Structures are given as structure tokens and as C-alpha cells.
Short mmCIF file of all heavy atoms in Angstrom, two decimals:
data_model
loop_
_atom_site.label_atom_id
_atom_site.label_comp_id
_atom_site.label_asym_id
_atom_site.label_seq_id
_atom_site.Cartn_x
_atom_site.Cartn_y
_atom_site.Cartn_z
N THR G 1 0.83 -1.21 0.00
CA THR G 1 0.00 0.00 0.00
C THR G 1 0.86 1.26 0.00
O THR G 1 0.59 2.21 -0.74
CB THR G 1 -0.93 0.00 1.23
OG1 THR G 1 -1.78 -1.14 1.17
CG2 THR G 1 -1.78 1.26 1.27
N LEU G 2 1.89 1.29 0.83
CA LEU G 2 2.75 2.48 0.90
C LEU G 2 3.52 2.69 -0.40
O LEU G 2 3.69 3.83 -0.85
CB LEU G 2 3.71 2.35 2.08
CG LEU G 2 3.07 2.47 3.47
CD1 LEU G 2 4.08 2.13 4.55
CD2 LEU G 2 2.51 3.87 3.70
N ILE G 3 4.00 1.61 -1.00
CA ILE G 3 4.70 1.73 -2.29
C ILE G 3 3.75 2.24 -3.35
O ILE G 3 4.06 3.18 -4.11
CB ILE G 3 5.32 0.39 -2.70
CG1 ILE G 3 6.51 0.05 -1.80
CG2 ILE G 3 5.75 0.42 -4.17
CD1 ILE G 3 7.07 -1.34 -2.03
N ASP G 4 2.56 1.65 -3.43
CA ASP G 4 1.57 2.05 -4.43
C ASP G 4 1.18 3.51 -4.24
O ASP G 4 1.10 4.29 -5.21
CB ASP G 4 0.35 1.14 -4.34
CG ASP G 4 -0.66 1.40 -5.45
OD1 ASP G 4 -0.24 1.50 -6.62
OD2 ASP G 4 -1.86 1.51 -5.15
N HIS G 5 0.97 3.92 -3.00
CA HIS G 5 0.59 5.30 -2.73
C HIS G 5 1.71 6.26 -3.12
O HIS G 5 1.45 7.33 -3.69
CB HIS G 5 0.25 5.47 -1.25
CG HIS G 5 -0.33 6.82 -0.93
ND1 HIS G 5 0.45 7.94 -0.70
CD2 HIS G 5 -1.61 7.23 -0.82
CE1 HIS G 5 -0.32 8.98 -0.46
NE2 HIS G 5 -1.58 8.59 -0.52
N ALA G 6 2.97 5.88 -2.85
CA ALA G 6 4.09 6.75 -3.20
C ALA G 6 4.17 6.99 -4.70
O ALA G 6 4.38 8.11 -5.16
CB ALA G 6 5.39 6.14 -2.69
N VAL G 7 3.97 5.92 -5.49
CA VAL G 7 4.09 6.04 -6.93
C VAL G 7 2.94 6.85 -7.52
O VAL G 7 3.11 7.59 -8.50
CB VAL G 7 4.17 4.65 -7.59
CG1 VAL G 7 4.27 4.78 -9.10
CG2 VAL G 7 5.36 3.87 -7.06
N ARG G 8 1.77 6.76 -6.92
CA ARG G 8 0.59 7.46 -7.46
C ARG G 8 0.62 8.97 -7.20
O ARG G 8 -0.32 9.67 -7.57
CB ARG G 8 -0.68 6.86 -6.87
CG ARG G 8 -1.01 5.46 -7.38
CD ARG G 8 -2.22 4.91 -6.63
NE ARG G 8 -2.48 3.53 -6.95
CZ ARG G 8 -3.48 3.10 -7.73
NH1 ARG G 8 -4.28 3.98 -8.30
NH2 ARG G 8 -3.67 1.81 -7.96
N GLU G 9 1.67 9.46 -6.57
CA GLU G 9 1.78 10.90 -6.32
C GLU G 9 2.02 11.69 -7.61
O GLU G 9 1.94 12.92 -7.60
CB GLU G 9 2.88 11.18 -5.31
CG GLU G 9 2.54 10.80 -3.89
CD GLU G 9 1.47 11.68 -3.30
OE1 GLU G 9 1.74 12.85 -3.01
OE2 GLU G 9 0.33 11.19 -3.14
N MET G 10 2.36 11.02 -8.70
CA MET G 10 2.43 11.65 -10.02
C MET G 10 1.63 10.79 -10.99
O MET G 10 1.48 9.58 -10.77
CB MET G 10 3.88 11.76 -10.50
CG MET G 10 4.58 13.02 -10.06
SD MET G 10 6.00 13.47 -11.11
CE MET G 10 7.13 12.14 -10.81
N PRO G 11 1.14 11.38 -12.08
CA PRO G 11 0.43 10.58 -13.07
C PRO G 11 1.33 9.48 -13.63
O PRO G 11 2.53 9.68 -13.81
CB PRO G 11 0.07 11.60 -14.16
CG PRO G 11 0.09 12.92 -13.46
CD PRO G 11 1.14 12.81 -12.42
N PRO G 12 0.77 8.30 -13.92
CA PRO G 12 1.60 7.17 -14.36
C PRO G 12 2.02 7.29 -15.82
O PRO G 12 1.47 8.09 -16.59
CB PRO G 12 0.66 5.97 -14.17
CG PRO G 12 -0.71 6.54 -14.37
CD PRO G 12 -0.65 7.93 -13.79
N ARG G 13 3.05 6.50 -16.19
CA ARG G 13 3.42 6.38 -17.59
C ARG G 13 2.29 5.71 -18.36
O ARG G 13 1.49 4.98 -17.77
CB ARG G 13 4.72 5.55 -17.73
CG ARG G 13 5.93 6.19 -17.15
CD ARG G 13 7.20 5.38 -17.46
NE ARG G 13 7.16 4.04 -16.93
CZ ARG G 13 7.51 3.70 -15.70
NH1 ARG G 13 7.94 4.61 -14.85
NH2 ARG G 13 7.45 2.45 -15.28
N PRO G 14 2.21 5.91 -19.68
CA PRO G 14 3.15 6.66 -20.53
C PRO G 14 2.94 8.17 -20.42
O PRO G 14 1.82 8.64 -20.30
CB PRO G 14 2.80 6.16 -21.94
CG PRO G 14 1.36 5.78 -21.86
CD PRO G 14 1.17 5.21 -20.48
N GLU G 15 4.06 8.88 -20.48
CA GLU G 15 4.01 10.34 -20.47
C GLU G 15 3.53 10.84 -21.84
O GLU G 15 3.92 10.28 -22.87
CB GLU G 15 5.40 10.92 -20.19
CG GLU G 15 6.04 10.45 -18.89
CD GLU G 15 5.42 11.08 -17.66
OE1 GLU G 15 4.52 11.92 -17.81
OE2 GLU G 15 5.85 10.73 -16.56
N PRO G 16 2.69 11.87 -21.87
CA PRO G 16 2.26 12.41 -23.16
C PRO G 16 3.41 12.96 -24.00
O PRO G 16 3.35 12.97 -25.22
CB PRO G 16 1.29 13.53 -22.78
CG PRO G 16 0.88 13.22 -21.38
CD PRO G 16 2.05 12.54 -20.74
N LEU G 17 4.48 13.43 -23.32
CA LEU G 17 5.59 14.07 -24.03
C LEU G 17 6.91 13.38 -23.70
O LEU G 17 7.07 12.79 -22.63
CB LEU G 17 5.70 15.54 -23.64
CG LEU G 17 4.51 16.45 -23.95
CD1 LEU G 17 4.78 17.85 -23.43
CD2 LEU G 17 4.23 16.48 -25.45
N SER G 18 7.83 13.47 -24.64
CA SER G 18 9.21 13.11 -24.39
C SER G 18 10.06 14.31 -24.80
O SER G 18 9.54 15.35 -25.20
CB SER G 18 9.61 11.86 -25.19
OG SER G 18 9.81 12.19 -26.57
N THR G 19 11.38 14.14 -24.73
CA THR G 19 12.25 15.25 -25.15
C THR G 19 12.34 15.37 -26.66
O THR G 19 13.03 16.25 -27.17
CB THR G 19 13.66 15.05 -24.56
OG1 THR G 19 14.15 13.75 -24.93
CG2 THR G 19 13.66 15.18 -23.06
N MET G 20 11.62 14.51 -27.40
CA MET G 20 11.65 14.58 -28.86
C MET G 20 11.03 15.88 -29.37
O MET G 20 11.56 16.51 -30.29
CB MET G 20 10.90 13.39 -29.47
CG MET G 20 10.82 13.42 -30.99
SD MET G 20 9.90 12.03 -31.69
CE MET G 20 11.09 10.72 -31.48
N ALA G 21 9.89 16.29 -28.78
CA ALA G 21 9.17 17.46 -29.28
C ALA G 21 8.22 17.95 -28.20
O ALA G 21 7.98 17.27 -27.19
CB ALA G 21 8.39 17.11 -30.55
N ASP G 22 7.65 19.15 -28.40
CA ASP G 22 6.71 19.71 -27.43
C ASP G 22 5.27 19.35 -27.77
O ASP G 22 4.34 20.01 -27.33
CB ASP G 22 6.89 21.22 -27.31
CG ASP G 22 6.67 21.95 -28.63
OD1 ASP G 22 6.39 21.28 -29.65
OD2 ASP G 22 6.79 23.19 -28.63
N TYR G 23 5.08 18.31 -28.57
CA TYR G 23 3.74 17.79 -28.86
C TYR G 23 3.85 16.27 -28.94
O TYR G 23 4.95 15.71 -29.07
CB TYR G 23 3.19 18.36 -30.17
CG TYR G 23 4.07 18.11 -31.37
CD1 TYR G 23 3.92 16.95 -32.14
CD2 TYR G 23 5.06 19.02 -31.73
CE1 TYR G 23 4.74 16.71 -33.23
CE2 TYR G 23 5.89 18.78 -32.82
CZ TYR G 23 5.71 17.63 -33.57
OH TYR G 23 6.53 17.38 -34.65
N THR G 24 2.72 15.60 -28.88
CA THR G 24 2.69 14.14 -28.85
C THR G 24 2.58 13.56 -30.26
O THR G 24 1.80 14.04 -31.08
CB THR G 24 1.48 13.66 -28.02
OG1 THR G 24 1.57 14.23 -26.72
CG2 THR G 24 1.47 12.14 -27.90
N SER G 25 3.39 12.56 -30.52
CA SER G 25 3.33 11.83 -31.78
C SER G 25 3.56 10.36 -31.50
O SER G 25 3.96 9.97 -30.40
CB SER G 25 4.40 12.35 -32.76
OG SER G 25 5.69 12.06 -32.26
N TRP G 26 3.29 9.52 -32.49
CA TRP G 26 3.55 8.08 -32.29
C TRP G 26 5.03 7.86 -31.98
O TRP G 26 5.39 7.08 -31.10
CB TRP G 26 3.13 7.29 -33.52
CG TRP G 26 3.45 5.82 -33.37
CD1 TRP G 26 4.38 5.10 -34.03
CD2 TRP G 26 2.81 4.92 -32.47
NE1 TRP G 26 4.38 3.79 -33.61
CE2 TRP G 26 3.43 3.65 -32.64
CE3 TRP G 26 1.80 5.04 -31.51
CZ2 TRP G 26 3.06 2.53 -31.90
CZ3 TRP G 26 1.43 3.92 -30.78
CH2 TRP G 26 2.06 2.69 -30.98
N ALA G 27 5.90 8.56 -32.69
CA ALA G 27 7.34 8.40 -32.46
C ALA G 27 7.71 8.82 -31.05
O ALA G 27 8.51 8.17 -30.37
CB ALA G 27 8.13 9.20 -33.49
N SER G 28 7.13 9.94 -30.57
CA SER G 28 7.48 10.42 -29.23
C SER G 28 6.97 9.50 -28.14
O SER G 28 7.46 9.52 -27.02
CB SER G 28 6.94 11.84 -29.01
OG SER G 28 5.54 11.84 -28.82
N LEU G 29 5.98 8.67 -28.45
CA LEU G 29 5.44 7.72 -27.49
C LEU G 29 6.15 6.36 -27.52
O LEU G 29 5.91 5.52 -26.66
CB LEU G 29 3.94 7.49 -27.74
CG LEU G 29 3.02 8.67 -27.43
CD1 LEU G 29 1.60 8.37 -27.93
CD2 LEU G 29 2.99 8.96 -25.93
N THR G 30 7.03 6.16 -28.50
CA THR G 30 7.64 4.84 -28.66
C THR G 30 9.16 4.86 -28.77
O THR G 30 9.80 3.83 -28.51
CB THR G 30 7.07 4.14 -29.92
OG1 THR G 30 7.29 4.98 -31.06
CG2 THR G 30 5.59 3.86 -29.77
#
């Protein structure tokens, strides 16, 4: 429970963005 609660303090993966670009694309998600 404590581990699960700690991880849920931020939204889970997958992240909408990566360092590829400032918008979401199939490439940026993979």
C-alpha cells in the first residue's frame, strides 16, 4: 500500500511528451 501510494503521487506512464518534441506523436510515445 505504501509503495503504491508513493508512486501514485504523479500521473503514471506513458508520459504524453518526451524530449523529442513539445507535442505528442507516435514516435514520441515509442
Side-chain angles (χ1 to χ4, degrees):
T1 300
L2 289 172
I3 289 173
D4 186 46
H5 187 277
V7 179
R8 290 174 187 254
E9 287 291 288
M10 272 202 294
R13 294 186 300 274
E15 303 286 358
L17 299 177
S18 75
T19 54
M20 177 181 285
D22 59 0
Y23 57 89
T24 304
S25 66
W26 177 250
S28 74
L29 291 171
T30 57

